[in-house]
Amino acid sequence: MSEEQTVDELIGTLRKVQTEKVEKIEEHLKRELDQAEEEYQADLEEIDKNLMGQVDSLMRNHSDELSENIDHFQQLLAELKGAAYHWDDEFWHDFLPETVSEIADCHRVGTLKINGHFNQLETLALVPIINGQNVIFLSSAEIKRQITQAFQSLILRLVVTSPKSKINLVSIEPLANSNKVLGIFPNKHGERWKPEKSLNRLSLYLSQVRKEHLTNDRPTLVEVIAKTGECPVPHYLLAVTDFPHNFSEEAIRQLITIMRKGPACGVHTIMLVDTEELPNLNLEGLDKEANVISYENDRFIFRSGMSQSDPINENFFDYSNFDLELDQLPDLDLLEKLVSKTDISVFAPISLPS
């Protein structure tokens, strides 16, 4: 055999050995890949099974929570009745103010909504006015109609769902052409007073209530009612519009005092503020525990007074992340029906000792 043939045979043998090794390696790699694929698919199936189990659990928990939310929502409506039902609800078809026996603890100003992963959560936006918190509506030109009607709706709701002689309405409308409060009740109210006169009389009234009815053991009218079972004096609802137009410095000081000290004596303020006239309003200086309705970043926001004054207290929930859908006045037929049944005693002058 020639040297050239020997070299060719050697090369052929080497190639054969190399091919066999490559085939063995490829076969081994294929087995490993197949095994890895099987293990990968098994892991995926296990992960998918676990994820589906978690999703099913979340859905069950969510359904339970949603059901609880709906039950709570319905329970609130049943307990608060006219203080909570939307003006479009059938409840109002047969509603008679004379059937109301007590003032509700809370009254609605709208609904709060927030989008979750699966559904939209909805609850009532309630303000505990009678239990001691004022309400401030911040108005501006772009949302004036909506915020004004929400302000009016709350006043109307408080008046028509309160027993006769249990609540009186005091209106301060400093602009001559304003009828945001008294305009709801045509032919029902008496004379319109200047802000100073109403505030002076309310200040005297606060002193009278503190002197005659409040004690160290019963520092608020709510506690007096809780312990005696009777309300010795009516609650007064102070409705202020267009603040701070035509308010003197003295009137502003009096209003701040009434907002801070009034709730304990049964004097509750609902105020409509012109933020364009007063863009740098210090809400904390006015009343840090008031519920505030505002318009920010193209949406209405409800801030509960207690959650602002005591932000670390977990008992007071912060609703500012919810979108607020404000109530508006009812349709004209229902409005006229409710107003016609409103007792004129609601507009009785502030009672002071002679």
Side-chain angles (χ1 to χ4, degrees), residues 112-153:
L112 293 162
K113 300 178 181 180
I114 192 168
N115 291 320
H117 292 292
F118 305 108
N119 295 95
Q120 185 182 70
L121 178 65
E122 180 176 320
T123 188
L124 294 176
L126 297 170
V127 287
I129 298 174
I130 300 303
N131 274 351
Q133 286 181 257
N134 302 311
V135 185
I136 299 173
F137 290 84
L138 302 182
S139 179
S140 61
E142 61 179 325
I143 45 95
K144 186 174 183 179
R145 180 183 177 279
Q146 293 156 286
I147 207 85
T148 298
Q149 282 218 13
F151 167 83
Q152 293 171 319
S153 173

Side-chain angles (χ1 to χ4, degrees), residues 15 30 34 57 68 70 80 121 164 307 313:
R15 284 177 176 172
K30 186 176 182 303
D34 289 343
S57 177
E68 289 177 6
I70 293 172
L80 296 175
L121 178 65
K164 180 181 177 181
S307 68
N313 192 328

Side-chain angles (χ1 to χ4, degrees), residues 89-223:
D89 195 274
E90 292 182 357
F91 169 85
W92 298 103
H93 293 175
D94 302 315
F95 173 74
L96 297 172
E98 57 267 27
T99 62
V100 180
S101 59
E102 59 184 21
I103 305 177
D105 292 335
C106 299
H107 294 77
R108 67 175 280 163
V109 291
T111 52
L112 293 162
K113 300 178 181 180
I114 192 168
N115 291 320
H117 292 292
F118 305 108
N119 295 95
Q120 185 182 70
L121 178 65
E122 180 176 320
T123 188
L124 294 176
L126 297 170
V127 287
I129 298 174
I130 300 303
N131 274 351
Q133 286 181 257
N134 302 311
V135 185
I136 299 173
F137 290 84
L138 302 182
S139 179
S140 61
E142 61 179 325
I143 45 95
K144 186 174 183 179
R145 180 183 177 279
Q146 293 156 286
I147 207 85
T148 298
Q149 282 218 13
F151 167 83
Q152 293 171 319
S153 173
L154 178 58
I155 292 169
L156 177 67
R157 189 180 296 276
L158 273 154
V159 169
V160 302
T161 62
S162 298
K164 180 181 177 181
S165 75
K166 296 295 184 181
I167 195 165
N168 287 12
L169 178 63
V170 178
S171 170
I172 295 181
E173 301 192 67
L175 296 181
N177 60 347
S178 175
N179 277 304
K180 295 183 178 71
V181 179
L182 299 183
I184 308 173
F185 306 96
N187 306 318
K188 288 280 185 178
H189 54 83
E191 63 176 308
R192 186 194 298 262
W193 289 349
K194 291 183 178 180
E196 287 78 5
K197 183 175 181 179
S198 294
L199 293 171
N200 283 335
R201 291 184 68 84
L202 279 173
S203 296
L204 292 172
Y205 177 76
L206 293 184
S207 298
Q208 176 187 335
V209 172
R210 284 198 298 268
K211 180 180 178 181
E212 296 182 3
H213 303 290
L214 304 187
T215 64
N216 290 334
D217 294 334
R218 293 176 290 190
T220 70
L221 193 60
V222 169
E223 290 173 282

Side-chain angles (χ1 to χ4, degrees), residues 321-339:
N321 291 325
F322 284 65
D323 291 332
L324 172 62
E325 184 176 305
L326 286 172
D327 285 346
Q328 303 291 280
L329 283 172
D331 64 62
L332 187 58
D333 288 343
L334 178 57
L335 177 60
E336 290 179 347
K337 173 187 172 183
L338 294 174
V339 170

Side-chain angles (χ1 to χ4, degrees), residues 218-241:
R218 293 176 290 190
T220 70
L221 193 60
V222 169
E223 290 173 282
V224 171
I225 297 170
K227 291 185 178 181
T228 65
E230 296 181 358
C231 185
V233 292
H235 290 271
Y236 277 92
L237 186 63
L238 173 59
V240 180
T241 69

